[in-house]
């Protein structure tokens, strides 16, 4: 097996691995977006309940219910915010890995092209060596 073929196969293997990491990063980004949306929804709900607290004829039962709901919304927002921070750090780490893998794939593909060109030139030189010289 020629060196260019081996290098090309190694490049393909790395490219498949790179695509796998790209898909994982895509899933991570969609999860971050989903958490971001949910945090926005929780903030909107908190604002609605806060506006409801300002109404004049609020019973004690309603007040306690709204306070409990606000407490649960705060907990949910804190959990989502913490998870969002963790996922953002993970995304940064994955982006660095993706960049390194992309460089590796590009390097292997360039090496494959260079080796292929070299093999073609060697083959051409061998063919030219087999050709009889011209008579003068």
């Amino acid at each position: 097996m020629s060196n260019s073929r081996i290098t090309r196969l190694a490049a393909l293997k790395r490219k498949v691995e790179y695509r796998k990491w790209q898909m994982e990063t895509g899933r991570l980004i969609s999860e971050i977006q989903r958490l971001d949306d949910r945090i926005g929804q929780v903030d909107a709900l908190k604002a609605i309940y806060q506006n409801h607290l300002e109404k004049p004829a609020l019973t004690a039962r309603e007040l306690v219910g709204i306070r409990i709901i606000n407490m649960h919304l705060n907990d949910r927002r804190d959990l989502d915010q913490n998870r969002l921070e963790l996922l953002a750090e993970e995304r940064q780490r994955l982006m660095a890995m993706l960049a390194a893998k992309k460089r590796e794939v590009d390097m292997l593909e360039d090496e494959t092209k260079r080796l292929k060109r070299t093999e073609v030139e060697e083959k051409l030189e061998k063919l030219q060596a087999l050709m009889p010289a011209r008579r003068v």
Side-chain angles (χ1 to χ4, degrees), residues 18-71:
Y18 172 72
R19 297 277 187 221
K20 179 184 81 167
W21 283 103
Q22 260 186 331
M23 287 180 6
E24 183 66 29
T25 303
R27 279 189 228 116
L28 186 67
I29 289 171
S30 67
E31 176 72 11
I32 287 172
Q33 182 62 39
R34 188 183 67 75
L35 280 173
D36 227 5
D37 292 344
R38 189 160 68 183
I39 289 171
Q41 291 171 351
V42 167
D43 287 341
L45 277 173
K46 278 186 62 165
I48 290 170
Y49 281 114
Q50 194 63 34
N51 286 339
H52 191 68
L53 281 175
E54 296 170 1
K55 297 203 176 189
L58 202 60
T59 65
R61 181 179 231 162
E62 288 175 326
L63 180 64
V64 170
I66 290 174
R67 293 283 183 196
I68 290 172
I69 290 171
N70 271 338
M71 184 181 66

